[in-house]
Amino acid sequence: MTARHAIVIGAGAGGLAAGIDLAQSGFRVTILERAATPGGKMHTREVGDSAVDGGPTVLTMRSIFENLFADAGASLDDRLTLFESPIIARHAWSHGGILDLYPDLERSRQTIEAFAGSADASGFERFYSQSARIHKTLSETFMTAPKPDPITLVGRVLRHHHPSSLIAARPAPNLWRALGGFFSDERLRQLFARYATYVGSSPLNTPATLMLIAHVELEGVWLVEGGMHRLARAMADLGQELGIDLHFNTHVSEILVKGGKTAGVRLEDGTSLPADVVIFNGDTNALATGQMGKEASRAVRPRPLKNRALSALTWCIKGSSSGFELDHHNVFFESHYPNEFSTIFKDRNVPTKPTVYLCAQDRGHNGSLNGSERLLMLVNAPADGDRQVWPGDDVARTRDNALAVLDRCGLTLSFRDTDCVSTSPTDWHGRFPGSGGSLYGGASHGIWSSFTRPGARSRLSGLYLSGGSVHPGPGVPMATLSGRLAARAVLHDIS
């Protein structure tokens, strides 16, 4: 018998994972990627003679990737060199204070006690205990399960856990308010409220359930030698070894539908490729807005502007630093954290005093910096990349504002303008059509938000979905799980 043929649109983490699982199960798999390299948001920017990671910067939930490789008969450790980061992140405040968090509960508790006192150290212990309970409750009942609805989720929780676990999941109040019950020092509320931005959302509107991220990070943060794009390359290489036909610089213009069922794709050059199933690994709003053809637009509901998650302004830099000892992960805060999210989500602007994330990519496992290092600087921005163009002056002004935040925290960056490559929401929208520049799909605002995210099965027969805009959500580990869920759905439906 001729093997079933699956076409995957997009070689991001979800698309690669789906392709690997289907190829391992005997499918003939073709992956079509419009970019020149695999990885989607796991990409690099060329800055002079250096390649700087321009997207995700560390690996968490390592077991997800180990399981993916092991199920395909391979070993992650044979493909990548991983270093466990001794520090989760270094945090600094313009109005005073520096705090490191560690992948060790007791050491983090001690640093918090020295930073904010014994009451907040006890609050951290309670916070982490709650985080661990939430993670235990949801890891199998939600994250790795097919798209749930509230009723089925409750049923799964009750089958696996004590009824008190439903209370432990804490969908309400919002994350910002919940953190006030653990920490009196507002700097600690800022630090842990930032977990909402990991899914592109505001802590003022995000369910307190996201406290579970603290547990994930305490399980370990890993640095990939050579950068996170090496993970994408390793996944692509594994797929090709399994027989996947992987094409780069290949733009799909339409998903073909025949008799109410997905029949294949049409490329930009007019070539038609038939398939038994198609997996779309892009922002689902590209489908809803007709960018994959009129027939495919009914596969998902459109995402309103107000429901878009965060975008970002980023700068990939080759330069030097002074005045502050950087680690790999660094976060620099101003005061009045809630104002930042009101400015972004309500006013649709970038704050003049933004929180600044800085990844010093050569710190943490490399030796000498030899006078220069690779840096990724990021500030959050509204996902309006399809509604406005970011002029160079605005990008430069925001960069200067971010550098001023660093300066107030004691850090000075030195670099030439030619050694600084920027990316705006408009650029992100160009890379990921339909997104408006959102890097996370829909915002996780409100207790029902997780249930409105599309699942692996679209509303069009034969068309499946993966990537950060579908269940179980954004981030490289979750996108990888989404690909595995899509492959599982295909195998179930076609068996």
Side-chain angles (χ1 to χ4, degrees):
M1 292 179 62
T2 303
R4 299 274 193 173
H5 184 207
I7 289 179
V8 181
I9 303 173
L16 291 168
I20 288 168
D21 280 352
L22 289 177
Q24 175 66 15
S25 298
F27 269 70
R28 181 166 66 90
V29 178
T30 302
I31 299 182
L32 307 172
E33 169 57 52
R34 69 200 305 263
T37 56
K41 297 180 183 72
M42 285 189 287
H43 73 290
T44 60
R45 299 297 301 272
E46 298 299 320
V47 183
D49 58 355
S50 298
V52 182
D53 270 341
T57 52
V58 293
L59 185 148
T60 57
M61 304 182 79
R62 176 174 174 166
S63 63
I64 289 175
F65 306 97
E66 290 176 330
N67 291 340
L68 174 70
F69 278 71
D71 289 347
S75 168
L76 180 70
D77 289 339
D78 291 342
R79 308 295 180 111
L80 292 173
T81 301
L82 302 176
F83 302 89
E84 186 171 11
S85 178
I87 295 176
I88 292 174
R90 179 159 293 161
H91 309 83
W93 287 263
S94 63
H95 49 295
I98 298 174
L99 176 65
D100 291 347
L101 276 187
Y102 299 90
D104 177 272
L105 178 62
E106 178 57 25
R107 191 173 183 189
S108 287
R109 192 203 67 78
Q110 291 172 0
T111 60
I112 287 173
E113 183 170 11
F115 178 80
S118 59
D120 277 346
S122 296
F124 171 73
E125 289 183 318
R126 290 186 291 109
F127 167 76
Y128 177 73
S129 176
Q130 187 69 37
S131 169
R133 290 187 68 194
I134 296 171
H135 185 268
K136 181 179 180 180
T137 300
L138 297 180
S139 60
E140 293 183 0
T141 59
F142 181 81
M143 294 182 201
T144 60
K147 176 178 165 51
D149 57 60
I151 294 175
T152 58
L153 177 61
V154 168
R156 288 185 187 126
V157 170
L158 293 178
R159 282 196 299 272
H160 292 88
H161 303 282
H162 190 273
S164 63
S165 297
L166 290 171
I167 299 173
R170 294 183 69 96
N174 65 54
L175 181 60
W176 182 253
R177 285 184 56 199
L179 290 170
F182 297 100
F183 305 109
S184 61
D185 191 317
E186 186 159 326
R187 294 172 299 177
L188 294 175
R189 288 181 76 186
Q190 284 180 292
L191 189 162
F192 293 109
R194 188 173 172 272
Y195 289 148
T197 67
Y198 287 27
V199 295
S201 304
S202 164
L204 308 180
N205 304 105
T206 301
T209 307
L210 283 181
M211 289 193 297
L212 66 85
I213 294 175
H215 177 79
V216 169
E217 288 194 327
L218 278 171
E219 286 185 330
V221 172
W222 303 86
L223 313 181
V224 181
E225 185 175 60
M228 278 290 286
H229 64 281
R230 293 284 182 88
L231 171 61
R233 185 69 262 176
M235 293 171 70
D237 289 346
L238 174 60
Q240 288 180 301
E241 291 167 17
L242 293 170
I244 291 177
D245 192 12
L246 180 54
H247 297 265
F248 298 111
N249 300 306
T250 304
H251 186 198
V252 176
S253 62
E254 183 181 2
I255 292 172
L256 301 175
V257 178
K258 184 176 181 181
K261 184 180 184 301
T262 306
V265 302
R266 179 174 290 116
L267 305 184
E268 191 175 44
D269 64 7
T271 302
S272 294
L273 301 176
D276 296 288
V277 296
V278 172
I279 297 176
F280 181 75
N281 188 70
D283 193 297
T284 59
N285 208 45
L287 291 170
T289 54
Q291 296 186 48
M292 290 289 107
K294 182 179 179 180
E295 292 283 351
S297 65
R298 61 186 174 88
V300 293
R301 293 184 176 89
R303 183 185 308 123
L305 172 66
K306 65 182 180 66
N307 292 348
R308 290 178 181 174
L310 291 169
S311 186
L313 283 154
T314 67
W315 296 268
C316 291
I317 298 167
K318 182 181 178 183
S320 60
S321 63
S322 60
F324 184 99
E325 185 62 31
L326 291 169
D327 197 69
H328 189 87
H329 259 329
N330 308 272
V331 186
F332 300 88
F333 291 103
E334 287 282 357
S335 56
H336 309 299
Y337 199 43
N339 291 349
E340 175 166 339
F341 297 97
S342 296
T343 300
I344 293 172
F345 284 103
K346 293 183 179 179
D347 301 337
R348 314 303 296 182
N349 287 319
V350 178
T352 56
K353 294 182 177 181
T355 300
V356 181
Y357 169 70
L358 188 71
C359 178
Q361 295 180 13
D362 298 309
R363 307 278 182 138
H365 59 89
N366 285 353
S368 172
L369 298 176
N370 296 318
S372 69
E373 57 185 313
R374 298 171 299 160
L375 305 163
L376 170 66
M377 185 169 72
L378 178 151
V379 300
N380 294 317
D384 292 343
D386 55 341
R387 301 172 70 239
Q388 64 170 312
V389 175
W390 283 79
D393 288 348
D394 286 356
V395 174
R397 188 180 305 111
T398 303
R399 186 187 79 175
D400 290 344
N401 289 339
L403 292 172
V405 172
L406 303 186
D407 185 67
R408 288 191 286 274
C409 292
L411 171 65
T412 299
L413 297 186
S414 301
F415 54 88
R416 299 175 300 179
D417 283 344
T418 54
D419 287 334
C420 178
V421 178
S422 64
T423 306
S424 73
T426 304
D427 299 322
W428 292 118
H429 175 68
R431 285 177 56 87
F432 305 105
S435 67
S438 170
L439 300 177
Y440 311 87
S444 297
H445 290 166
I447 63 173
W448 307 113
S449 58
S450 295
F451 302 110
T452 61
R453 190 176 289 123
R457 293 178 177 89
S458 80
R459 297 193 293 178
L460 177 61
S461 177
L463 177 60
Y464 298 81
L465 309 172
S466 66
S469 65
V470 307
H471 173 75
V476 179
M478 294 297 101
T480 301
L481 283 179
S482 79
R484 305 206 73 182
L485 288 172
R488 188 192 307 172
V490 170
L491 293 170
H492 177 273
D493 295 348
I494 290 188
S495 62

